Amino acid sequence: MAQDAIAVAEPNWASGRAMAALVSVVIESKLGQQVEIVPGANAVIFAGMDRGKGEIDVHPDVWLPNLESLRKEFIEEKQTVRLSENYYTGFSAFCALREFAEANNITSVFDLATPEAAALFDKDGDGMGEIWVGAPGWTSTNQNLVKVRDYGIANFFEPVQTEEQVASASFSSAMERGEGAVFYCYAPHYNWFVFDMIRLEEPPFDPEHYVMVNPNEDPAWFEKSKITVGDQDKTVHVAYSASLEERAPLVAEFLSRIAMDTDTVNAFTNEIVVKGRAPREVAEEWVAANSERIDEWLGL
């Protein structure tokens, strides 16, 4: 890594890639600081920010409360990581391809918990349907595994964990063949531009019925977790190592102020993933067209 470069993590999801590019472009073009992009999973990124040695300085797309255990450990207790004051909003749920779902009266997660639904979504002939629950390493994937079990879906569907690009390709193939697909979905996300899909009904969020124990808290996390309601709406922040306040104070000040919005991030993901544009190119174009907004983030 170049000396004194700011290490910006690039998470393995669409909005994470978009935000990593945006943060990097602003730091380089407006603050004159070199940036290194470092791929990584959430736990690794937070551990790097915690150490404060420049291995990883920035997590550009922290979804809360998904990462609540990491927020509590590193931001609240250790106070080695900071969180941006502002955020954009998102949600997560289960979705289905609209045409197939409506033709078969699939409107709720509980409509999946039947042998008939399993047969509709059984791709490999083993008697079980398939439901994509997320990519390996995502906190939300663990949450979805618990939800699939507690909604009764696991009696009829096999939870599938694959990288997001692989899952999206399978949805596209299913749609072309007139078949169905059910899967974890969230916004902002490029899939809303690509697929005609519906959000399946779930019971409204209630903290008393949403008990999630994370693997880093207890090896028996799956047995001790119980989720029988939908997810809480999300707030998505930028996190950064507290060490930047001394190592690169102007960068830390910018990261504390950055304020993106859901529509812009959604559009970024569409440009990057669906249209195949380079994340940096999209970010540079947006930064050039939004100088007043960038100046606000920089305190100018």
Side-chain angles (χ1 to χ4, degrees), residues 42 45-46 49 57-88 234-245 251-259:
N42 288 313
I45 297 170
F46 269 85
M49 292 190 294
D57 294 311
V58 183
H59 190 318
D61 208 48
V62 175
W63 285 61
L64 297 176
N66 293 37
L67 302 184
E68 177 59 22
S69 64
L70 294 172
R71 185 205 67 79
K72 184 175 181 181
E73 179 180 357
F74 295 106
I75 296 172
E76 182 179 322
E77 295 174 357
K78 291 187 174 181
Q79 299 185 17
T80 54
V81 177
R82 305 285 191 254
L83 206 62
S84 63
E85 299 171 8
N86 303 302
Y87 55 84
Y88 69 87
K234 315 299 181 182
T235 63
V236 191
H237 303 251
V238 172
Y240 56 98
S241 175
S243 68
L244 286 178
E245 294 172 346
V251 173
E253 188 176 352
F254 151 60
L255 295 171
S256 73
R257 286 198 182 105
I258 187 170

Side-chain angles (χ1 to χ4, degrees), residues 220-236:
W221 66 271
F222 188 67
E223 293 77 13
K224 294 183 178 180
S225 298
K226 186 171 180 62
I227 303 175
T228 56
V229 296
D231 283 356
Q232 183 178 1
D233 284 345
K234 315 299 181 182
T235 63
V236 191

Side-chain angles (χ1 to χ4, degrees), residues 91-268:
F91 72 82
S92 57
F94 289 113
C95 285
L97 297 177
R98 181 186 301 274
E99 185 175 358
F100 189 88
E102 290 183 346
N104 291 281
N105 297 314
I106 303 292
T107 61
S108 161
V109 290
F110 299 112
D111 292 332
L112 301 175
T114 68
E116 293 77 14
L120 289 171
F121 296 96
D122 181 6
K123 300 288 195 303
D124 55 13
D126 67 352
M128 300 280 284
E130 291 83 34
I131 181 169
W132 183 64
V133 293
W138 290 4
T139 302
S140 55
T141 301
N142 293 335
Q143 295 166 344
N144 289 332
L145 287 169
V146 175
K147 290 173 73 174
V148 165
R149 179 196 66 194
D150 293 344
Y151 283 152
I153 298 171
N155 295 325
F156 306 96
F157 279 71
E158 180 70 27
V160 175
Q161 298 184 49
T162 61
E163 291 299 332
E164 188 170 43
Q165 295 89 335
V166 175
S168 293
S170 73
F171 309 153
S172 182
S173 296
M175 189 168 64
E176 290 174 3
R177 296 192 299 265
E179 298 174 351
V182 287
F183 45 91
Y184 170 59
C185 59
Y186 60 95
H189 195 276
Y190 60 88
N191 274 351
W192 298 98
F193 291 87
V194 178
F195 303 118
D196 184 16
M197 60 196 206
I198 59 170
R199 182 176 175 176
L200 298 180
E201 297 171 5
E202 296 179 70
F205 175 75
D206 180 342
E208 292 187 6
H209 298 281
Y210 201 108
V211 178
M212 184 66 204
V213 179
N214 291 298
N216 64 329
E217 297 170 319
D218 193 321
W221 66 271
F222 188 67
E223 293 77 13
K224 294 183 178 180
S225 298
K226 186 171 180 62
I227 303 175
T228 56
V229 296
D231 283 356
Q232 183 178 1
D233 284 345
K234 315 299 181 182
T235 63
V236 191
H237 303 251
V238 172
Y240 56 98
S241 175
S243 68
L244 286 178
E245 294 172 346
E246 300 220 357
R247 292 169 41 228
L250 293 179
V251 173
E253 188 176 352
F254 151 60
L255 295 171
S256 73
R257 286 198 182 105
I258 187 170
M260 281 302 281
D261 63 274
T262 305
D263 289 343
T264 299
V265 179
N266 217 17
F268 268 40

